[in-house]
Amino acid sequence: MGQHESVATSLASAVREEIGASLARVDAELARRYPGDPGSRQPVHTVYVPGDVFAAGTVRSWGDQALAALDEHAPDAASLAAVLDLSGDLAGPVYARVRAKLEREPVEDLRIDFEDGYGPRPDAEEDAAAARAARLVADAYADGTAPPYMGIRMKCMEAAVRDRGIRTLDVFLTGLMEAGGLPGGLVLTLPKVTYAEQVTAMARLCAEFEKARGLEPGRIGFEIQIETTQSILGPDGRATVARMIDAAGGRATGLHYGTFDYSASCGVSAAYQSMDHPAADHAKAVMQVAAAGTGVRLSDGSTNVLPVGPTSQVHDAWRLHHRLVRRSLARAYYQGWDMHPGHLPTRYAAVYAFYREGLEQAAARLAAYVGRAGGDVMDEPATAKALSGYLLRGIDCGAVDGDEVTGLTGLHRADLDRLAGRPVTP
C-alpha cells in the first residue's frame, strides 16, 4: 500500500522529447484553429428588422405582438399543446415559460438589416439610417432595453455594393464609439460571401477600425452568412467554408445559413425552398463539420411562411415553424432566424420543450458519470461534455432553472462549465 511498482521501459527519454519537439508546431496549430466553445451564451434565434423600420420600441413591440397572437390563437396551455402536439406534462411549464419570456426578453439577438431587407437607397438616406441605428443601439444598451445581442447586417463585399457596405459599417461603428463605445453584445453580419478573400477584407476592415479608434486588436468579430454555393464548394472542387473561417483570422463568431438565397442559387424552385430541403441539409452539414471545435457558432435559417390570418392558418404556420425548429435542434443547430413576431411563440415553445423533455434523463446520466454510479448507459467524457452543454443551453435560454439542474445533478454552473470544456463562469 502506498508504494508504486517499478515497471520496465525500452524507449529513451530523448525519443519522447524529440517527438514532442517535432509536434510542437502541430500543437500550436491545433490550439489556434480549434480553441473549443467560447463559453458565452448563444442566442436561440436572430430577428431581422430593416434599417428604416427599426425603432426604439421594436423589441417590446415584437414581444407584445407575440403575446397578442397567443391570446388570440392559443390562450392557454391546453390549446397550444393541441396545436403543437406537446405532451400533457410539458404543456403547462412550456406555456408559462413562453409567456414569461415574451414579457421579459422577447428577442435574444437582433440584426438591423441594411442588405436585402433594406435594399438600395440614396447614399444620404442610408448614411442617416446607419447613424440613427447606432444611436438607437447605444441608447438601448444604456437604458437596459437591448436584447443580449444586437448589431447590423451590412451589404456584401461584391463590387456593386462594396463601397456602400463599408461606409455603412463605418458610420454605424463610429456612431457607437461617439456614443460611448462598442457594446459587449455587438454582432456584425457579412452576407453573400463567395470567396475567402472577401472574409479577409472584412477582417482587415475590423482591424483598421480598431487601429483608428484605439481599440484592442481583435475586439471586433463578425458572422459569415452562408448563402451562395461558392461558400460551400469552390471552383477547384474544395470545400470553401473552412477556408473562410481561417481567413477571418480569429474574428469569425458564427456561420449563418441563408435559406432562400442558397436554395435559389442551387436552382430549387420557390415552392420547395425550405430549411429541410436536401440541398440545405448538405450545406449545413458542411458548415457543421467546418466549424466543429473552432468556437464558431452555427445558425440555421428561417421559414417565410408567416403565422397571420385566421386561426386555422396561424395554427398551420405554427406547426410548420415548430417542426422546423425541433428538426434544427435535433441536428445541433441551436440558433435560427425568426422573421415575424408570430414566430416567437413557437420558437420558444420548441426550444423549451426540447430542453425540458430531456432534462431528467440528461441530469441522471451526468450525475451517474460524475459519481461513477453506472446505470444502463456507459457514458464517456465526450458524452458528459455533450450532456453538460445541453443543460447549460437550457439554463441560458430560460427553458430550465439553474437550481433545477443543481437539484437533479448536485452540480453547479462552474461544474457544468468544466465538464462542457467551457471557460468557468465566475
Side-chain angles (χ1 to χ4, degrees):
M1 294 293 292
Q3 294 183 348
H4 296 285
E5 182 178 351
S6 172
V7 297
T9 61
S10 301
L11 297 175
S13 60
V15 174
R16 295 194 305 272
E17 293 169 1
E18 289 170 4
I19 288 176
S22 71
L23 291 175
R25 184 183 63 80
V26 171
D27 293 339
E29 190 79 345
L30 281 170
R32 180 182 73 83
R33 291 181 183 273
Y34 302 102
D37 192 288
S40 56
R41 170 185 176 183
Q42 181 178 8
V44 301
H45 70 169
T46 301
V47 163
Y48 273 77
V49 178
D52 58 333
V53 174
F54 177 68
T58 292
V59 171
R60 186 62 266 152
S61 174
W62 273 57
D64 291 343
Q65 290 179 69
L67 285 166
L70 273 180
D71 289 340
E72 181 176 357
H73 304 294
D76 53 40
S79 56
L80 185 65
V83 175
L84 304 181
D85 196 26
L86 298 176
S87 62
D89 59 328
L90 282 176
V94 166
Y95 191 82
R97 285 175 183 269
V98 168
R99 291 198 69 97
K101 179 73 168 180
L102 295 175
E103 292 166 357
R104 181 187 73 255
E105 188 185 73
V107 174
E108 293 196 354
D109 182 28
L110 188 144
R111 206 70 69 250
I112 305 166
D113 191 15
F114 288 94
E115 201 230 358
D116 283 350
Y118 184 76
R121 306 288 180 96
D123 283 340
E125 183 178 342
E126 186 159 340
D127 281 351
R132 173 177 168 273
R135 289 194 301 272
L136 290 172
V137 169
D139 290 347
Y141 277 103
D143 65 20
T145 60
Y149 299 95
M150 202 174 190
I152 66 167
R153 176 169 71 169
M154 58 190 281
K155 290 178 172 63
C156 70
M157 286 292 178
E158 293 177 357
V161 295
R162 182 185 304 138
D163 288 348
R164 182 62 260 180
I166 292 172
R167 183 171 175 83
T168 297
L169 177 67
D170 189 5
V171 170
F172 177 72
L173 293 178
T174 299
L176 289 176
M177 292 298 298
E178 295 296 318
L182 304 184
L186 176 67
V187 187
L188 306 173
T189 304
L190 178 66
K192 291 184 175 59
V193 179
T194 52
Y195 280 79
E197 288 82 357
Q198 293 167 332
V199 177
T200 301
M202 181 66 174
R204 182 185 173 189
L205 279 179
C206 295
E208 292 292 342
F209 189 89
E210 290 162 353
K211 189 186 304 181
R213 301 298 305 214
L215 296 171
E216 178 185 357
R219 167 65 182 84
I220 304 173
F222 57 91
E223 301 166 335
I224 302 169
Q225 199 165 345
I226 304 300
E227 50 186 339
T228 68
T229 55
Q230 295 91 342
S231 61
I232 295 297
L233 191 69
D236 56 1
R238 292 193 296 172
T240 316
V241 65
R243 292 160 62 190
M244 291 179 176
I245 293 173
D246 190 53
R251 295 180 185 272
T253 59
L255 300 175
H256 281 230
Y257 177 68
T259 304
F260 303 103
D261 282 278
Y262 187 85
S263 298
S265 70
C266 289
V268 178
S269 299
Y272 297 96
Q273 293 174 3
S274 175
M275 294 157 59
D276 59 355
H277 191 280
D281 284 341
H282 171 259
K284 289 181 287 189
V286 174
M287 291 164 58
Q288 191 169 50
V289 173
T294 65
V296 176
R297 263 83 180 260
L298 297 174
S299 175
D300 208 335
S302 62
T303 174
N304 59 0
V305 179
L306 303 184
V308 296
T311 294
S312 61
Q313 188 170 314
V314 171
H315 285 180
D316 287 343
W318 274 355
R319 277 188 282 268
L320 172 65
H321 185 240
H322 183 265
R323 178 181 67 79
L324 290 171
V325 174
R326 285 282 314 197
R327 185 179 189 273
S328 296
L329 291 167
R331 286 159 173 76
Y333 303 109
Y334 299 112
Q335 184 176 349
W337 295 5
D338 289 325
M339 309 302 290
H340 187 274
H343 285 142
L344 299 186
T346 37
R347 169 68 61 182
Y348 292 121
V351 169
Y352 289 176
F354 178 77
Y355 290 111
R356 292 205 65 81
E357 69 189 14
L359 171 62
E360 292 188 3
Q361 182 184 48
R365 288 176 64 179
L366 192 59
Y369 172 84
V370 171
R372 296 294 191 273
D376 58 356
V377 178
M378 183 65 72
D379 287 322
E380 297 187 1
T383 306
K385 181 177 181 179
L387 289 167
S388 54
Y390 171 85
L391 295 173
L392 285 166
R393 288 181 183 278
I395 294 170
D396 285 344
C397 72
V400 301
D401 299 324
D403 290 344
E404 277 187 284
V405 174
T406 300
L408 291 168
T409 63
L411 302 172
H412 295 280
R413 176 81 193 216
D415 304 313
L416 295 172
D417 283 332
R418 290 188 190 95
L419 286 166
R422 297 182 174 188
V424 176
T425 302

